[in-house]
Amino acid sequence: MSETTIPEKMAAVVCHGPEDYRLEEVPVPVPGPGEALVRVEAVGICASDLKCYHGAAKFWGDENRPAWAETDVIPGHEFVGEIVVIDDEASARWNVGVGDRVVSEQIVPCWKCRFCLRGQYHMCAPHDLYGFKRRTPGAMASYMVYPAEALVHKVSKNIPPAHAAFAEPLSCSLHAVERAGITFDDVVVVAGCGPIGLGMIAGARAKNPAHVIALDMQPEKLALAKECGADIVIDIRNEDAEKIVKDLTDGYGADVYLEGTGHPTAVPQGLNLLRKLGTYVEYGVFGSDVTVDWSIISDDKELDVLGAHLGPYCWPAAIRMIESGVLPMDKICSHQLPLADFQKGLDLVGAGTESVKVSLIPS
């Protein structure tokens, strides 16, 4: 066992219920056999964090859907940190050691259920995600533990912590791109130029399709979309996206539509933009039910409608993309705040107009 001097107490954000998150002093967690203690360098605030904070029914649960977030848990599932305590078993399993900068995938699989045994670990039945359940406390704290079941990846120390923590949302974006099966001749439309949408744009561009089209309502984010690889951008407030896409494709429509906003209007928008036999991939997390004309999916167009969840098998590619410098990470990671300003961070994400990716820096 290798270790450095660790304090007994640390600052942490603790969830006590909807809109009741508090900065508290709590004990520093103690790693067990095969685990690692990590000093958190940065933790991003995700749209799902915000929905849990506000207590949306889809996340706090009703009789039809179990709650995502439990009380008395530390939030935060997109993060990076430095290993400060690790035993030989964990070091060998993850090929890391004290002093290494590491990220951990947002899900801690059980490795025993039917999905884990089939390699579909991102659909693990217990579904323990950092920051949503007491079994797996998150990263809005000075320290956290990576459990023995975790998936861990090393990240370069030559990039800022907030950039390294972006591996989580970027891996999600790349998984959605993989689900789409993009080919060279495709016209790809990405709805939303937030963190997920920008990652989708970058991932789609890496597949080298005919066009990558970005949709948003904010000119600044559309400009950022161009830097991430979009060759056409459409401000849906002032332009007719369906007409532009149809004119570009001889009236047929887009081949692929990637939805990354979680806004109900983006769903029918995508169904209408797609050609017959097109592919729709849904990644957005919705705070309310969405109603669409399903005959568009079946009788009208025979669409392939796919979901995407987390970022399985995409973390190494996401890390390489960030480390390569190909993305405008300083612009994507727009705000870094101290942990004590977590409420300001949540409010920035909620406003949606002043930031792209907001991160908390516990140190």
Side-chain angles (χ1 to χ4, degrees):
M1 178 82 73
S2 299
E3 57 182 275
T4 57
T5 302
I6 309 299
E8 294 183 359
K9 298 282 188 176
M10 67 177 183
V13 177
V14 180
C15 166
H16 290 280
E19 299 185 358
D20 186 9
Y21 284 24
R22 309 173 200 168
L23 186 67
E24 300 178 357
E25 186 177 68
V26 301
V28 171
V30 177
E35 299 183 335
L37 180 67
V38 175
R39 180 180 61 81
V40 179
E41 294 183 277
V43 52
I45 300 177
C46 174
S48 60
D49 291 319
L50 187 70
K51 288 184 172 70
C52 286
Y53 170 75
H54 286 302
K58 289 295 183 184
F59 294 85
W60 284 93
D62 53 28
E63 61 183 5
N64 298 314
R65 180 167 180 166
W68 271 34
E70 298 176 348
T71 55
D72 301 316
V73 68
I74 299 170
H77 63 277
E78 47 182 77
F79 50 79
V80 66
E82 180 185 12
I83 296 175
V84 292
V85 178
I86 191 168
D87 63 15
D88 292 340
E89 176 190 343
S91 182
R93 183 193 318 114
W94 295 324
N95 191 30
V96 296
V98 169
D100 283 340
R101 172 183 274 181
V102 285
V103 293
S104 180
E105 297 195 24
Q106 63 282 78
I107 192 166
V108 181
C110 71
W111 301 114
K112 297 176 182 177
C113 70
R114 66 178 294 177
F115 300 108
C116 287
L117 293 175
R118 294 178 179 184
Q120 301 159 330
Y121 67 87
H122 63 303
M123 286 295 168
C124 173
H127 225 70
D128 289 335
L129 296 172
Y130 288 108
F132 294 100
K133 295 186 179 181
R134 298 185 193 99
R135 290 191 297 267
T136 48
M140 291 189 188
S142 300
Y143 294 89
M144 68 183 300
V145 166
Y146 289 2
E149 297 81 11
L151 291 144
V152 176
H153 306 277
K154 193 183 298 186
V155 187
S156 170
K157 289 188 174 184
N158 295 326
I159 58 177
H163 297 190
F166 193 72
E168 193 277 344
L170 183 55
S171 71
C172 295
S173 301
L174 297 186
H175 176 52
V177 169
E178 291 281 71
R179 290 280 282 162
I182 294 168
T183 65
F184 296 135
D185 292 330
D186 282 344
V187 172
V188 180
V189 175
V190 177
C193 298
I196 293 295
L198 292 172
M200 289 174 171
I201 290 164
R205 173 48 60 205
K207 297 290 186 179
N208 202 31
H211 295 287
V212 177
I213 303 172
L215 311 182
D216 205 283
M217 296 188 295
Q218 296 183 42
E220 318 83 54
K221 290 186 176 179
L222 289 169
L224 191 51
K226 284 188 175 182
E227 293 190 55
C228 289
D231 57 289
I232 299 171
V233 298
I234 301 174
D235 183 340
I236 60 173
R237 294 175 307 175
N238 305 312
E239 299 175 276
D240 186 337
E242 185 174 354
K243 182 179 186 305
I244 293 171
V245 172
K246 292 286 180 66
D247 287 348
L248 182 69
T249 58
D250 296 325
Y252 289 105
D255 301 282
V256 175
Y257 182 83
L258 302 172
E259 202 293 298
T261 70
H263 195 283
T265 60
V267 180
Q269 172 182 261
L271 299 180
N272 291 324
L273 281 173
L274 282 169
R275 63 166 170 81
K276 294 180 179 181
L277 302 175
T279 299
Y280 180 114
V281 179
E282 181 58 64
Y283 201 96
V285 178
F286 295 90
S288 60
D289 291 340
V290 179
T291 301
V292 298
D293 179 0
W294 276 70
S295 61
I296 299 174
I297 298 168
S298 56
D299 188 52
D300 291 357
K301 294 186 177 181
E302 195 177 322
L303 300 176
D304 286 335
V305 179
L306 305 171
H309 177 58
L310 305 186
Y313 303 106
C314 292
W315 282 72
I319 292 167
R320 288 196 303 270
M321 186 176 286
I322 294 168
E323 291 177 343
S324 73
V326 69
L327 296 176
M329 291 303 303
D330 285 333
K331 296 179 182 178
I332 294 172
C333 296
S334 58
H335 291 74
Q336 293 86 51
L337 305 172
L339 189 65
D341 287 347
F342 73 91
Q343 186 64 58
K344 180 180 178 182
L346 288 165
D347 293 342
L348 274 169
V349 175
T353 56
E354 303 172 44
S355 65
V356 182
K357 170 53 63 179
V358 178
S359 301
L360 302 176
I361 309 298
S363 60

Short mmCIF file of all heavy atoms in Angstrom, two decimals, residues 8-63:
data_model
loop_
_atom_site.label_atom_id
_atom_site.label_comp_id
_atom_site.label_asym_id
_atom_site.label_seq_id
_atom_site.Cartn_x
_atom_site.Cartn_y
_atom_site.Cartn_z
N GLU A 8 -8.53 13.90 7.68
CA GLU A 8 -9.66 13.11 8.16
C GLU A 8 -10.98 13.62 7.62
O GLU A 8 -11.93 12.85 7.45
CB GLU A 8 -9.69 13.13 9.69
CG GLU A 8 -8.51 12.41 10.35
CD GLU A 8 -8.63 12.40 11.86
OE1 GLU A 8 -9.63 12.95 12.39
OE2 GLU A 8 -7.74 11.82 12.52
N LYS A 9 -11.07 14.92 7.36
CA LYS A 9 -12.32 15.52 6.89
C LYS A 9 -12.10 16.20 5.54
O LYS A 9 -10.98 16.57 5.18
CB LYS A 9 -12.83 16.56 7.89
CG LYS A 9 -13.15 15.99 9.27
CD LYS A 9 -14.49 15.28 9.26
CE LYS A 9 -14.90 14.90 10.69
NZ LYS A 9 -16.25 14.28 10.71
N MET A 10 -13.21 16.38 4.81
CA MET A 10 -13.14 17.06 3.51
C MET A 10 -14.43 17.82 3.26
O MET A 10 -15.47 17.54 3.87
CB MET A 10 -12.92 16.05 2.39
CG MET A 10 -14.09 15.11 2.16
SD MET A 10 -13.84 14.00 0.76
CE MET A 10 -15.40 13.12 0.70
N ALA A 11 -14.38 18.76 2.35
CA ALA A 11 -15.58 19.47 1.90
C ALA A 11 -16.28 18.63 0.83
O ALA A 11 -15.63 18.02 -0.02
CB ALA A 11 -15.21 20.84 1.35
N ALA A 12 -17.61 18.62 0.89
CA ALA A 12 -18.38 17.86 -0.10
C ALA A 12 -19.76 18.48 -0.24
O ALA A 12 -20.32 19.00 0.72
CB ALA A 12 -18.50 16.40 0.30
N VAL A 13 -20.31 18.41 -1.45
CA VAL A 13 -21.70 18.76 -1.68
C VAL A 13 -22.53 17.51 -1.40
O VAL A 13 -22.23 16.44 -1.90
CB VAL A 13 -21.92 19.24 -3.13
CG1 VAL A 13 -23.39 19.55 -3.38
CG2 VAL A 13 -21.06 20.47 -3.42
N VAL A 14 -23.57 17.66 -0.60
CA VAL A 14 -24.42 16.52 -0.23
C VAL A 14 -25.86 16.81 -0.62
O VAL A 14 -26.39 17.88 -0.34
CB VAL A 14 -24.33 16.22 1.28
CG1 VAL A 14 -25.21 15.03 1.65
CG2 VAL A 14 -22.89 15.97 1.69
N CYS A 15 -26.47 15.85 -1.28
CA CYS A 15 -27.87 15.97 -1.70
C CYS A 15 -28.78 15.56 -0.54
O CYS A 15 -28.69 14.43 -0.05
CB CYS A 15 -28.13 15.07 -2.91
SG CYS A 15 -29.87 14.81 -3.27
N HIS A 16 -29.66 16.46 -0.14
CA HIS A 16 -30.65 16.15 0.90
C HIS A 16 -32.07 16.11 0.34
O HIS A 16 -33.02 15.94 1.10
CB HIS A 16 -30.56 17.18 2.02
CG HIS A 16 -29.31 17.06 2.84
ND1 HIS A 16 -29.15 16.14 3.83
CD2 HIS A 16 -28.14 17.74 2.78
CE1 HIS A 16 -27.95 16.26 4.38
NE2 HIS A 16 -27.31 17.22 3.74
N GLY A 17 -32.21 16.28 -0.96
CA GLY A 17 -33.51 16.28 -1.59
C GLY A 17 -33.57 17.32 -2.68
O GLY A 17 -32.60 18.04 -2.92
N PRO A 18 -34.70 17.43 -3.38
CA PRO A 18 -34.82 18.41 -4.47
C PRO A 18 -34.53 19.83 -3.99
O PRO A 18 -35.07 20.30 -3.00
CB PRO A 18 -36.29 18.26 -4.89
CG PRO A 18 -36.65 16.88 -4.50
CD PRO A 18 -35.91 16.61 -3.24
N GLU A 19 -33.61 20.48 -4.71
CA GLU A 19 -33.20 21.85 -4.44
C GLU A 19 -32.70 22.04 -3.01
O GLU A 19 -32.81 23.13 -2.44
CB GLU A 19 -34.35 22.82 -4.77
CG GLU A 19 -34.73 22.75 -6.25
CD GLU A 19 -35.77 23.77 -6.64
OE1 GLU A 19 -36.22 24.51 -5.77
OE2 GLU A 19 -36.13 23.82 -7.85
N ASP A 20 -32.14 20.98 -2.47
CA ASP A 20 -31.56 21.04 -1.12
C ASP A 20 -30.20 20.35 -1.12
O ASP A 20 -30.02 19.27 -0.57
CB ASP A 20 -32.50 20.39 -0.10
CG ASP A 20 -32.02 20.56 1.35
OD1 ASP A 20 -31.06 21.33 1.56
OD2 ASP A 20 -32.61 19.94 2.25
N TYR A 21 -29.25 20.99 -1.81
CA TYR A 21 -27.87 20.52 -1.83
C TYR A 21 -27.07 21.43 -0.90
O TYR A 21 -27.22 22.65 -0.94
CB TYR A 21 -27.28 20.60 -3.24
CG TYR A 21 -27.74 19.52 -4.19
CD1 TYR A 21 -28.95 18.85 -4.02
CD2 TYR A 21 -26.97 19.18 -5.31
CE1 TYR A 21 -29.38 17.87 -4.91
CE2 TYR A 21 -27.39 18.21 -6.21
CZ TYR A 21 -28.59 17.56 -6.00
OH TYR A 21 -29.00 16.60 -6.87
N ARG A 22 -26.21 20.84 -0.06
CA ARG A 22 -25.48 21.62 0.92
C ARG A 22 -23.99 21.28 0.90
O ARG A 22 -23.62 20.11 0.73
CB ARG A 22 -26.02 21.34 2.33
CG ARG A 22 -27.52 21.47 2.47
CD ARG A 22 -27.99 21.01 3.84
NE ARG A 22 -29.41 20.68 3.84
CZ ARG A 22 -30.02 20.04 4.82
NH1 ARG A 22 -29.33 19.66 5.90
NH2 ARG A 22 -31.32 19.77 4.74
N LEU A 23 -23.17 22.31 1.08
CA LEU A 23 -21.74 22.10 1.23
C LEU A 23 -21.47 21.75 2.69
O LEU A 23 -21.80 22.54 3.59
CB LEU A 23 -20.96 23.35 0.84
CG LEU A 23 -19.43 23.20 0.82
CD1 LEU A 23 -19.00 22.25 -0.28
CD2 LEU A 23 -18.76 24.56 0.65
N GLU A 24 -20.90 20.58 2.94
CA GLU A 24 -20.70 20.08 4.29
C GLU A 24 -19.29 19.57 4.48
O GLU A 24 -18.56 19.31 3.50
CB GLU A 24 -21.70 18.95 4.60
CG GLU A 24 -23.16 19.37 4.50
CD GLU A 24 -24.13 18.25 4.76
OE1 GLU A 24 -23.68 17.09 4.97
OE2 GLU A 24 -25.34 18.51 4.74
N GLU A 25 -18.92 19.40 5.73
CA GLU A 25 -17.66 18.73 6.06
C GLU A 25 -18.00 17.29 6.42
O GLU A 25 -18.79 17.03 7.33
CB GLU A 25 -16.97 19.42 7.23
CG GLU A 25 -15.59 18.86 7.51
CD GLU A 25 -14.86 19.60 8.63
OE1 GLU A 25 -15.32 19.49 9.78
OE2 GLU A 25 -13.84 20.27 8.33
N VAL A 26 -17.40 16.36 5.69
CA VAL A 26 -17.68 14.94 5.89
C VAL A 26 -16.36 14.19 6.00
O VAL A 26 -15.30 14.69 5.61
CB VAL A 26 -18.52 14.37 4.72
CG1 VAL A 26 -19.83 15.13 4.58
CG2 VAL A 26 -17.74 14.42 3.42
N PRO A 27 -16.39 12.96 6.52
CA PRO A 27 -15.16 12.18 6.60
C PRO A 27 -14.61 11.85 5.21
O PRO A 27 -15.38 11.58 4.28
CB PRO A 27 -15.59 10.90 7.33
CG PRO A 27 -16.84 11.27 8.06
CD PRO A 27 -17.53 12.28 7.19
N VAL A 28 -13.31 11.87 5.08
CA VAL A 28 -12.68 11.40 3.84
C VAL A 28 -12.92 9.90 3.73
O VAL A 28 -12.71 9.17 4.70
CB VAL A 28 -11.17 11.72 3.85
CG1 VAL A 28 -10.48 11.04 2.66
CG2 VAL A 28 -10.94 13.21 3.81
N PRO A 29 -13.40 9.40 2.59
CA PRO A 29 -13.66 7.97 2.48
C PRO A 29 -12.38 7.15 2.57
O PRO A 29 -11.30 7.61 2.22
CB PRO A 29 -14.31 7.84 1.09
CG PRO A 29 -13.82 9.03 0.33
CD PRO A 29 -13.68 10.13 1.33
N VAL A 30 -12.52 5.92 3.05
CA VAL A 30 -11.39 5.01 3.20
C VAL A 30 -11.53 3.90 2.18
O VAL A 30 -12.53 3.18 2.17
CB VAL A 30 -11.34 4.42 4.63
CG1 VAL A 30 -10.19 3.43 4.75
CG2 VAL A 30 -11.22 5.53 5.67
N PRO A 31 -10.55 3.73 1.30
CA PRO A 31 -10.66 2.67 0.29
C PRO A 31 -10.51 1.29 0.90
O PRO A 31 -9.74 1.09 1.83
CB PRO A 31 -9.51 2.98 -0.66
CG PRO A 31 -8.50 3.68 0.19
CD PRO A 31 -9.29 4.48 1.19
N GLY A 32 -11.27 0.35 0.38
CA GLY A 32 -11.16 -1.03 0.79
C GLY A 32 -10.22 -1.80 -0.11
O GLY A 32 -9.58 -1.22 -1.00
N PRO A 33 -10.14 -3.11 0.06
CA PRO A 33 -9.28 -3.94 -0.79
C PRO A 33 -9.64 -3.80 -2.27
O PRO A 33 -10.81 -3.85 -2.63
CB PRO A 33 -9.55 -5.36 -0.28
CG PRO A 33 -10.04 -5.18 1.12
CD PRO A 33 -10.81 -3.90 1.11
N GLY A 34 -8.64 -3.58 -3.11
CA GLY A 34 -8.86 -3.49 -4.54
C GLY A 34 -9.43 -2.17 -5.00
O GLY A 34 -9.79 -2.03 -6.17
N GLU A 35 -9.50 -1.19 -4.09
CA GLU A 35 -10.05 0.12 -4.44
C GLU A 35 -8.94 1.17 -4.46
O GLU A 35 -7.79 0.88 -4.13
CB GLU A 35 -11.13 0.51 -3.43
CG GLU A 35 -12.31 -0.45 -3.40
CD GLU A 35 -13.40 -0.01 -2.45
OE1 GLU A 35 -13.11 0.71 -1.48
OE2 GLU A 35 -14.57 -0.41 -2.69
N ALA A 36 -9.31 2.40 -4.83
CA ALA A 36 -8.34 3.50 -4.85
C ALA A 36 -8.98 4.75 -4.28
O ALA A 36 -10.16 5.02 -4.53
CB ALA A 36 -7.86 3.77 -6.28
N LEU A 37 -8.20 5.51 -3.53
CA LEU A 37 -8.63 6.83 -3.07
C LEU A 37 -8.05 7.86 -4.03
O LEU A 37 -6.85 7.85 -4.33
CB LEU A 37 -8.13 7.11 -1.65
CG LEU A 37 -8.53 8.48 -1.07
CD1 LEU A 37 -10.03 8.55 -0.87
CD2 LEU A 37 -7.79 8.74 0.23
N VAL A 38 -8.91 8.74 -4.51
CA VAL A 38 -8.54 9.70 -5.55
C VAL A 38 -8.83 11.12 -5.06
O VAL A 38 -9.91 11.39 -4.52
CB VAL A 38 -9.32 9.42 -6.85
CG1 VAL A 38 -9.05 10.49 -7.90
CG2 VAL A 38 -8.97 8.03 -7.39
N ARG A 39 -7.85 12.00 -5.22
CA ARG A 39 -8.06 13.42 -4.93
C ARG A 39 -8.69 14.05 -6.17
O ARG A 39 -8.09 14.06 -7.24
CB ARG A 39 -6.73 14.10 -4.60
CG ARG A 39 -6.87 15.60 -4.28
CD ARG A 39 -5.52 16.23 -3.98
NE ARG A 39 -4.60 16.14 -5.11
CZ ARG A 39 -4.61 16.97 -6.15
NH1 ARG A 39 -5.50 17.96 -6.21
NH2 ARG A 39 -3.74 16.82 -7.13
N VAL A 40 -9.90 14.56 -6.03
CA VAL A 40 -10.65 15.08 -7.17
C VAL A 40 -10.04 16.40 -7.64
O VAL A 40 -9.83 17.32 -6.85
CB VAL A 40 -12.13 15.28 -6.80
CG1 VAL A 40 -12.90 15.83 -8.00
CG2 VAL A 40 -12.75 13.96 -6.33
N GLU A 41 -9.76 16.48 -8.93
CA GLU A 41 -9.21 17.70 -9.53
C GLU A 41 -10.28 18.55 -10.20
O GLU A 41 -10.18 19.78 -10.22
CB GLU A 41 -8.15 17.33 -10.56
CG GLU A 41 -6.91 16.69 -9.97
CD GLU A 41 -5.89 16.42 -11.05
OE1 GLU A 41 -6.01 15.38 -11.74
OE2 GLU A 41 -4.98 17.25 -11.22
N ALA A 42 -11.29 17.91 -10.77
CA ALA A 42 -12.37 18.64 -11.44
C ALA A 42 -13.57 17.72 -11.57
O ALA A 42 -13.43 16.51 -11.74
CB ALA A 42 -11.94 19.13 -12.82
N VAL A 43 -14.76 18.32 -11.49
CA VAL A 43 -16.00 17.57 -11.70
C VAL A 43 -16.96 18.45 -12.48
O VAL A 43 -17.23 19.59 -12.11
CB VAL A 43 -16.62 17.10 -10.36
CG1 VAL A 43 -16.78 18.25 -9.38
CG2 VAL A 43 -17.96 16.41 -10.58
N GLY A 44 -17.46 17.93 -13.59
CA GLY A 44 -18.39 18.68 -14.41
C GLY A 44 -19.81 18.59 -13.89
O GLY A 44 -20.17 17.64 -13.18
N ILE A 45 -20.62 19.59 -14.23
CA ILE A 45 -22.04 19.58 -13.90
C ILE A 45 -22.82 19.25 -15.16
O ILE A 45 -22.71 19.95 -16.17
CB ILE A 45 -22.50 20.93 -13.33
CG1 ILE A 45 -21.72 21.27 -12.05
CG2 ILE A 45 -24.00 20.90 -13.03
CD1 ILE A 45 -22.07 22.63 -11.46
N CYS A 46 -23.59 18.18 -15.10
CA CYS A 46 -24.31 17.65 -16.25
C CYS A 46 -25.78 18.07 -16.20
O CYS A 46 -26.30 18.41 -15.14
CB CYS A 46 -24.18 16.13 -16.24
SG CYS A 46 -25.12 15.26 -17.49
N ALA A 47 -26.44 18.01 -17.34
CA ALA A 47 -27.87 18.32 -17.37
C ALA A 47 -28.65 17.36 -16.48
O ALA A 47 -29.65 17.74 -15.87
CB ALA A 47 -28.38 18.24 -18.81
N SER A 48 -28.22 16.11 -16.40
CA SER A 48 -28.91 15.16 -15.52
C SER A 48 -28.71 15.53 -14.05
O SER A 48 -29.60 15.32 -13.22
CB SER A 48 -28.45 13.73 -15.79
OG SER A 48 -27.07 13.58 -15.55
N ASP A 49 -27.55 16.09 -13.70
CA ASP A 49 -27.35 16.60 -12.35
C ASP A 49 -28.38 17.68 -12.04
O ASP A 49 -28.96 17.74 -10.95
CB ASP A 49 -25.95 17.20 -12.19
CG ASP A 49 -24.85 16.16 -12.23
OD1 ASP A 49 -25.04 15.08 -11.64
OD2 ASP A 49 -23.81 16.43 -12.84
N LEU A 50 -28.60 18.55 -13.02
CA LEU A 50 -29.53 19.66 -12.83
C LEU A 50 -30.96 19.15 -12.67
O LEU A 50 -31.71 19.62 -11.81
CB LEU A 50 -29.44 20.62 -14.01
CG LEU A 50 -30.23 21.92 -13.86
CD1 LEU A 50 -29.61 22.82 -12.80
CD2 LEU A 50 -30.30 22.63 -15.20
N LYS A 51 -31.35 18.18 -13.49
CA LYS A 51 -32.70 17.64 -13.39
C LYS A 51 -32.93 16.96 -12.04
O LYS A 51 -33.99 17.08 -11.43
CB LYS A 51 -32.96 16.67 -14.55
CG LYS A 51 -33.11 17.36 -15.90
CD LYS A 51 -33.47 16.38 -16.98
CE LYS A 51 -33.83 17.09 -18.29
NZ LYS A 51 -32.70 17.73 -18.94
N CYS A 52 -31.91 16.25 -11.56
CA CYS A 52 -32.03 15.64 -10.23
C CYS A 52 -32.13 16.71 -9.15
O CYS A 52 -32.90 16.59 -8.20
CB CYS A 52 -30.82 14.74 -9.95
SG CYS A 52 -30.87 13.20 -10.85
N TYR A 53 -31.35 17.77 -9.30
CA TYR A 53 -31.37 18.85 -8.33
C TYR A 53 -32.76 19.45 -8.21
O TYR A 53 -33.26 19.74 -7.12
CB TYR A 53 -30.36 19.92 -8.73
CG TYR A 53 -30.47 21.19 -7.91
CD1 TYR A 53 -30.00 21.25 -6.60
CD2 TYR A 53 -31.06 22.32 -8.46
CE1 TYR A 53 -30.12 22.40 -5.85
CE2 TYR A 53 -31.19 23.49 -7.70
CZ TYR A 53 -30.72 23.52 -6.40
OH TYR A 53 -30.85 24.66 -5.66
N HIS A 54 -33.41 19.64 -9.34
CA HIS A 54 -34.74 20.24 -9.32
C HIS A 54 -35.85 19.24 -8.99
O HIS A 54 -37.01 19.64 -8.86
CB HIS A 54 -35.04 20.91 -10.66
CG HIS A 54 -34.29 22.19 -10.86
ND1 HIS A 54 -34.41 23.26 -9.99
CD2 HIS A 54 -33.39 22.58 -11.81
CE1 HIS A 54 -33.63 24.24 -10.40
NE2 HIS A 54 -33.00 23.85 -11.50
N GLY A 55 -35.49 17.97 -8.89
CA GLY A 55 -36.47 16.98 -8.46
C GLY A 55 -37.50 16.63 -9.50
O GLY A 55 -38.65 16.32 -9.17
N ALA A 56 -37.12 16.64 -10.76
CA ALA A 56 -38.05 16.24 -11.82
C ALA A 56 -38.55 14.83 -11.54
O ALA A 56 -37.80 13.96 -11.10
CB ALA A 56 -37.36 16.29 -13.18
N ALA A 57 -39.81 14.59 -11.80
CA ALA A 57 -40.43 13.30 -11.47
C ALA A 57 -39.71 12.14 -12.12
O ALA A 57 -39.60 11.06 -11.54
CB ALA A 57 -41.90 13.31 -11.92
N LYS A 58 -39.19 12.36 -13.31
CA LYS A 58 -38.50 11.27 -13.99
C LYS A 58 -37.25 10.84 -13.24
O LYS A 58 -36.75 9.74 -13.42
CB LYS A 58 -38.12 11.69 -15.41
CG LYS A 58 -39.32 11.83 -16.34
CD LYS A 58 -39.98 10.48 -16.57
CE LYS A 58 -41.12 10.60 -17.55
NZ LYS A 58 -41.84 9.35 -17.74
N PHE A 59 -36.71 11.73 -12.42
CA PHE A 59 -35.47 11.42 -11.72
C PHE A 59 -35.71 11.11 -10.26
O PHE A 59 -35.01 10.27 -9.68
CB PHE A 59 -34.50 12.60 -11.86
CG PHE A 59 -34.07 12.81 -13.27
CD1 PHE A 59 -34.83 13.55 -14.14
CD2 PHE A 59 -32.91 12.21 -13.73
CE1 PHE A 59 -34.44 13.71 -15.45
CE2 PHE A 59 -32.52 12.38 -15.04
CZ PHE A 59 -33.29 13.13 -15.90
N TRP A 60 -36.68 11.76 -9.65
CA TRP A 60 -36.95 11.49 -8.23
C TRP A 60 -37.94 10.37 -8.06
O TRP A 60 -38.17 9.90 -6.95
CB TRP A 60 -37.41 12.77 -7.54
CG TRP A 60 -36.22 13.63 -7.33
CD1 TRP A 60 -35.75 14.61 -8.15
CD2 TRP A 60 -35.28 13.52 -6.28
NE1 TRP A 60 -34.59 15.13 -7.67
CE2 TRP A 60 -34.29 14.48 -6.51
CE3 TRP A 60 -35.18 12.72 -5.15
CZ2 TRP A 60 -33.20 14.66 -5.67
CZ3 TRP A 60 -34.10 12.90 -4.30
CH2 TRP A 60 -33.12 13.85 -4.57
N GLY A 61 -38.52 9.93 -9.15
CA GLY A 61 -39.28 8.69 -9.11
C GLY A 61 -40.76 8.89 -8.90
O GLY A 61 -41.22 9.80 -8.23
N ASP A 62 -41.53 8.03 -9.51
CA ASP A 62 -42.94 7.92 -9.23
C ASP A 62 -43.25 6.43 -9.27
O ASP A 62 -42.33 5.61 -9.28
CB ASP A 62 -43.78 8.72 -10.26
CG ASP A 62 -43.44 8.35 -11.70
OD1 ASP A 62 -43.01 7.19 -11.95
OD2 ASP A 62 -43.62 9.20 -12.57
N GLU A 63 -44.50 6.06 -9.29
CA GLU A 63 -44.83 4.64 -9.21
C GLU A 63 -44.40 3.89 -10.47
O GLU A 63 -44.32 2.66 -10.46
CB GLU A 63 -46.33 4.46 -8.99
CG GLU A 63 -47.19 5.05 -10.12
CD GLU A 63 -48.67 4.93 -9.85
OE1 GLU A 63 -49.00 4.48 -8.73
OE2 GLU A 63 -49.46 5.27 -10.73
#
